[in-house]
Amino acid sequence: MTRQLTLPEFLRKMPKVELHYHLLGGVRMNTMLDLAKKYNEPLTEKDAKSYYRAFAHENEVMKGGIAALNFLYPLLRATEDYERVAYEILEDAKNTGVRYVEFFWNPNDTEIPYQEVTLALAKVFEQAEIDWNISAYLIPSINREKTPEEAVEMVTWMINFPHPRVLGIGIDYREDNAAIEKFWKAYRLAAQNNLRLTGHCSEFGLHWRNVETGLDLIGLERIDHGYTVVENAELMARCAKEAIPFTVVPSNTFFMKKWPNHSEWQINHPIRQMAKAGMIIIPATDDWHMHDTNGQKCYQSMIKDFGFDLDGVRQCILNGINAAWQPETTKAKWRQEWLTEFDTLRAQLIEEPQFDNAFHTPYQLNNH
Ligand SMILES: [Zn+2]
């Protein structure tokens, strides 16, 4: 077999899941501009660029993912807008080797009813599965900057309109003064109706207690972010032992600001520490276009910034398959097919990534 693949090509082609992706964080900039034009909302190209990290200049403060969602939700006013966004996102995703996505979106923030958005997105998902062999599902997410009563209302919409593309609930937006326990009622209602549960906990450097509360009081099956778990060795060991999946985001802005020097990431960054402790981590992208990342760049960062080797990358892919909210038969098939494909592509690499031994520690494989 000829060795012809570069590392970026390999990382683009290798099959992978995406379990932490905010739907509107993947809106292309031209689409944002088109939608503003369609609805006569003032938006210059300079304004639009301020939401997209790819256009950031040094020392410039970007508006960020949450500001982008706050701008976009009121802008999407017809089901065809959601269809366009979903189509483009899945086109971008399949071009970087993503085979399965679970999207967060915020039903309390939309201009059109829950049922209509769900049907519009599901229609595009069905077609993408046929055309591109990519599967997409939905996780309606609580906007924790709104009230707990609105969260309960969101879950009620889900119960009244069950749909096979809708898997469970999540929670996102700013966590300060909105710890997950505030939304216990919505989560309990969701659990009672057999919906799966995940949640953003301990993001932005907030206390590890939010992870513990998420697990023990709310009953979360997965944690999104959860980085300050590294400040509690006992909790970290427990999460490793119980094989709790954590979706982690290499492009997370909080730690990029805290430790701008990449060499420090290989020592201090929580993603690195979580893996070393044997926790189940799944690299994810959060806000794809806003944060200038994608399925390929995410794994490039795992290697370049965090010193993971390809055995570690393979383990992360396996973690993602195991943590997907799909039937075991489907996941067994993916394990068989995708990991074989991974190994075949790996054999075609021109060269495996090289590491400075001072930093390189292989990902400890977890037996669970
Ligand atoms: Zn997120």
Side-chain angles (χ1 to χ4, degrees), residues 62 93 95 104:
M62 299 300 293
N95 285 338
F104 293 122

Side-chain angles (χ1 to χ4, degrees), residues 20 22 104 172 200 203 224-225 249 286-287:
H20 182 159
H22 300 273
F104 293 122
D172 48 35
H200 284 48
E203 200 185 353
D224 302 306
H225 299 293
V249 181
D286 226 355
D287 295 309

Side-chain angles (χ1 to χ4, degrees), residues 30 165 195 209 216 332:
N30 281 342
R165 292 274 166 185
L195 290 163
R209 191 183 300 119
D216 292 336

Side-chain angles (χ1 to χ4, degrees), residues 158-203:
M158 294 171 70
I159 295 165
N160 291 339
F161 186 69
H163 193 283
R165 292 274 166 185
V166 179
L167 303 171
I169 68 164
I171 188 167
D172 48 35
Y173 280 75
R174 295 296 301 191
E175 195 177 349
D176 319 63
N177 306 315
I180 195 161
E181 58 265 37
K182 195 171 158 188
F183 301 90
W184 66 271
K185 211 183 251 187
Y187 270 101
R188 182 184 285 181
L189 187 61
Q192 285 167 343
N193 285 276
N194 300 316
L195 290 163
R196 311 295 296 265
L197 311 180
T198 188
H200 284 48
C201 293
S202 308
E203 200 185 353

